[in-house]
Amino acid sequence: MKNGVSRRLIALAAAGTMLLSVAACGSSSDGNASSDSGSASLISVNNSEPQNGLIPTDTNEMGGGKVIRYLFEGLVSFDAKGKQHLEVAESITPNDDATKYTIKLKKGWKFTNGEAVTAKSFADAWSFAANVKNAQKTASRFSTIKGYDELQDSNVDPKATLSGLSTPDDYTLVVELNKPDSVFPTKLAHQSYFPLPSVAFQDIKKFGQAPIGNGPYKFKSWAHNKNIIIVPNKDYKGSRKVANNGIEYRVYTDEDSAYSDVLSSNLDVLDEVPQSAVKTFRKDSGVIAYSQAGSTFEAFVIPERLEHFGDDEEGHLRRQAISMAINRDQIVKKVYDDTKTATTDFTSPLVPEYAKNLKNGDNLKYNADKAKELWEKANAIKPWSGNFRIAYNADGGHKEWVDAVCNQIKNTLGIDAAGDPYATFSDVRKRVTDRSITTAFRSGWMLDYPSAEDYLNPLYASSSADGHGSNDGDYKSEEFDNLLNAALAQTDVQKRTDDFTEAQEVLAKDLPVIPLWYDNVAAVSATNVKNVSFDYTNLPTYNTITK
């Protein structure tokens, strides 16, 4: 919100589409998915196989996230331009210091099984996610709600709930926080805050295979490693009106095959063009091309548990040296034909708190001589041994940039550096999630709502480490945490931005990840597809697409 935490979010005229690295007929058998016969009336879009079931609180990757965001609706949403709309919420009222929120819900919302959406639908889902016994990947999203720390005790009752949540009546949800959080009303748009019906808790794994939501679409089918089909929910009451007969998310393991399917009108929309087409897609008469500024942050993570990269002087020197050895502008131009933008911070140009000039920002700039100097300083502390590898999923078009980055590191620092490919996204994510990966690994983050908090808290806060969130490198810094918390306590927008900037400057010093570039929208659709637009998360607003 532009002026800090408003005293009350008044119901808005709902006219936008909501925020948040797939199906027409037939495709070849060389790694493509194929669609079901009779699905020609659906809008077909590319996707990857979800890592887990379609459970909002257990999904932190886009294979599942792309689907979930249309099967469910939360208390609030953001339209394509980043304007907030109240959805299930009728009003959200904070107290003076942003430590307590009273949320009034609209009546009449239902899940697709007919169950009413009530305050309990949210409270139960959030408590389930926060309870460590349920091992939900977005648990840390609830770390600011009272009672979260108690639910992280390994001996906690599996049915224990967040003490900071209360439901005075069916349509009132009171949220008490353990510290001020002025961004909380914005964060409510994230899918981890979606409601769940009571049936979900009877068998959550079964529910994830055939979810029951309250969004603009409802679940129809999931053929694993092939496609997911969703169809319009006629009882949906929110702002994202559906203009088509449904969406088929078609799983591809080869992006070139997906592009070929768009050319032959066998795939309607491809939300990211393959490397082989980045220099030609904007002039290709066989597709409709889309190119605009985007918000996805790309990097690679170097876990602190790796030898030579600990939270000490040697580790900091080596991280800085590796970052300075990378000529981001050269790779963006030569490999991606300027469809990406070299990073200057840890957010993106599409959030209000984006920073072009950070203190310690020189660590994100190419400087071969300085990189060599820092590497030698690290060698004086402890001689380098072994090699440097960056793991990536081979089904996502990452080989070219990984090879380019590794060659630059190798040539500048004189070490053995190379890519470490895994067959699929799920393969590498499994190793990242269970902490069995022994190398650096690629990372991407797509914006969920327009705030720097969405990048900084999930990816770098200590509460998001150790499997409780998306801090996959398990970075922990008291200095960063304090600055982040100071930002969240600020109801003044400029002061909050200043604190976010200081927090980013700590990241630029410590480099828990090596920032690379922001992805711009570089997408295509078949020539018979209409009304394709993109929101600030880089994704198409699929509900508006027709053909």
Side-chain angles (χ1 to χ4, degrees):
M1 290 171 291
K2 294 182 179 179
N3 297 307
V5 178
S6 64
R7 288 296 301 157
R8 190 173 183 84
L9 293 177
I10 306 301
L12 303 171
T17 55
M18 183 181 169
L19 84 159
L20 184 128
S21 155
V22 31
C25 297
S27 62
S28 60
S29 59
D30 58 352
N32 296 30
S34 60
S35 65
D36 294 323
S37 59
S39 65
S41 63
L42 302 176
I43 300 300
S44 56
V45 301
N46 66 294
N47 204 20
S48 57
E49 175 70 7
Q51 182 186 9
N52 303 293
L54 299 175
I55 304 165
T57 54
D58 200 34
T59 298
N60 61 358
E61 47 79 34
M62 289 312 300
K66 288 180 184 179
V67 184
I68 286 170
R69 72 186 192 130
Y70 283 106
L71 291 176
F72 294 86
E73 190 67 274
L75 293 163
V76 302
S77 72
F78 285 87
D79 63 28
K81 295 182 179 179
K83 182 179 180 181
Q84 189 175 52
H85 297 267
L86 296 177
E87 296 292 358
V88 181
E90 184 173 77
S91 64
I92 303 173
T93 306
N95 64 353
D96 290 335
D97 65 355
T99 59
K100 183 177 180 180
Y101 290 84
T102 300
I103 304 171
K104 294 290 186 179
L105 274 61
K106 298 172 185 173
K107 297 179 181 180
W109 279 79
K110 293 183 178 181
F111 293 103
T112 55
N113 65 350
E115 179 181 329
V117 178
T118 66
K120 196 172 186 296
S121 307
F122 290 93
D124 288 351
W126 299 1
S127 287
F128 179 86
N131 192 309
V132 69
K133 289 296 180 64
N134 298 317
Q136 298 296 283
K137 290 182 176 58
T138 65
S140 65
R141 292 277 182 175
F142 305 93
S143 62
T144 58
I145 298 177
K146 282 187 177 179
Y148 176 81
D149 290 341
E150 290 79 357
L151 295 189
Q152 295 304 297
D153 187 330
S154 60
N155 297 316
V156 71
D157 184 332
K159 295 184 179 180
T161 59
L162 287 163
S163 59
L165 298 180
S166 60
T167 55
D169 58 64
D170 284 347
Y171 296 96
T172 302
L173 174 64
V174 179
V175 185
E176 295 184 68
L177 306 180
N178 52 39
K179 58 186 175 182
D181 188 352
S182 60
V183 185
F184 187 72
T186 302
K187 293 161 62 174
L188 290 173
H190 190 265
Q191 66 186 38
S192 59
Y193 291 95
F194 288 164
L196 290 176
S198 57
V199 67
F201 308 110
Q202 297 175 14
D203 188 336
I204 193 67
K205 290 186 177 180
K206 181 179 179 181
F207 178 84
Q209 298 302 306
I212 297 166
N214 65 323
Y217 293 84
K218 60 183 179 180
F219 177 84
K220 182 180 180 181
S221 64
W222 183 358
H224 285 280
N225 298 301
K226 180 182 178 183
N227 64 11
I228 298 172
I229 295 175
I230 63 177
V231 295
N233 174 14
K234 295 180 180 179
D235 296 324
Y236 172 70
K237 293 184 175 295
S239 66
R240 295 182 290 160
K241 305 305 179 184
V242 173
N244 50 55
N245 293 324
I247 304 170
E248 182 188 358
Y249 296 88
R250 191 182 301 172
V251 177
Y252 282 88
T253 58
D254 180 79
E255 290 183 328
D256 288 324
S257 297
Y259 191 82
S260 295
D261 276 356
V262 178
L263 284 169
S264 60
S265 295
N266 284 327
L267 180 69
D268 293 325
V269 180
L270 176 61
D271 60 29
E272 184 174 2
V273 299
Q275 178 59 38
S276 61
V278 294
K279 296 183 179 181
T280 59
F281 80 101
R282 283 169 285 201
K283 299 178 181 179
D284 195 332
S285 62
V287 300
I288 300 174
Y290 307 91
S291 181
Q292 64 190 60
S295 60
T296 300
F297 173 83
E298 297 281 359
F300 61 88
V301 179
I302 307 178
E304 291 185 358
R305 63 180 179 273
L306 300 187
E307 185 180 5
H308 300 294
F309 292 101
D311 183 19
D312 52 26
E313 185 179 3
E314 182 201 2
H316 291 167
L317 289 170
R318 294 204 187 278
R319 290 168 187 273
Q320 292 169 15
I322 283 176
S323 182
M324 290 184 186
I326 302 169
N327 190 333
R328 296 161 177 80
D329 290 327
Q330 183 183 73
I331 295 174
V332 163
K333 183 174 182 61
K334 291 190 174 182
V335 177
Y336 290 112
D337 198 40
D338 294 320
T339 57
K340 303 180 187 295
T341 303
T343 52
T344 63
D345 77 343
F346 293 76
T347 65
S348 84
L350 294 191
V351 296
E353 304 92 347
Y354 166 65
K356 285 186 177 181
N357 298 295
L358 288 174
K359 179 183 177 182
N360 303 317
D362 285 346
N363 288 337
L364 310 186
K365 298 177 181 178
Y366 176 61
N367 187 333
D369 291 338
K370 186 67 173 178
K372 294 174 184 177
E373 176 188 335
L374 295 176
W375 195 257
E376 288 308 313
K377 285 185 177 180
N379 283 340
I381 297 172
K382 182 178 181 180
W384 173 255
S385 59
N387 54 46
F388 186 76
R389 296 289 183 264
I390 300 177
Y392 65 96
N393 51 303
D395 62 346
H398 301 289
K399 176 177 170 53
E400 289 79 6
W401 76 257
V402 171
D403 286 350
V405 165
C406 289
N407 283 335
Q408 290 180 346
I409 293 172
K410 179 179 180 179
N411 293 336
T412 300
L413 303 180
I415 64 173
D416 177 6
D420 184 17
Y422 288 72
T424 67
F425 179 74
S426 293
D427 290 339
V428 69
R429 280 304 306 175
K430 183 180 183 303
R431 295 287 300 275
V432 169
T433 299
D434 65 19
R435 303 305 194 260
S436 63
I437 198 162
T438 58
T439 66
F441 52 89
R442 67 156 291 266
S443 174
W445 190 258
M446 184 174 289
L447 186 63
D448 298 298
Y449 43 83
S451 171
E453 186 276 341
D454 187 49
Y455 295 96
L456 304 183
N457 198 4
L459 296 177
Y460 311 110
S462 297
S463 60
S464 299
D466 302 322
H468 299 301
S470 298
N471 183 350
D472 292 329
D474 297 324
Y475 170 71
K476 297 172 185 175
S477 164
E478 184 177 356
E479 182 182 12
F480 172 81
D481 288 343
N482 289 339
L483 287 166
L484 178 62
N485 290 336
L488 296 177
Q490 285 288 357
T491 58
D492 180 273
V493 173
Q494 186 56 56
K495 291 180 180 178
R496 183 166 66 230
T497 298
D498 292 343
D499 285 335
F500 276 139
T501 298
E502 288 191 52
Q504 288 206 72
E505 289 170 349
V506 174
L507 297 179
K509 170 176 62 74
D510 293 347
L511 293 175
V513 306
I514 307 300
L516 295 172
W517 37 73
Y518 316 111
D519 285 355
N520 299 332
V521 171
V524 293
S525 70
T527 55
N528 65 327
V529 175
K530 303 175 182 179
N531 302 316
V532 178
S533 62
F534 293 79
D535 62 23
Y536 59 89
T537 71
N538 287 28
L539 287 177
T541 51
Y542 292 130
N543 55 297
T544 67
I545 299 174
T546 59
K547 61 179 180 179

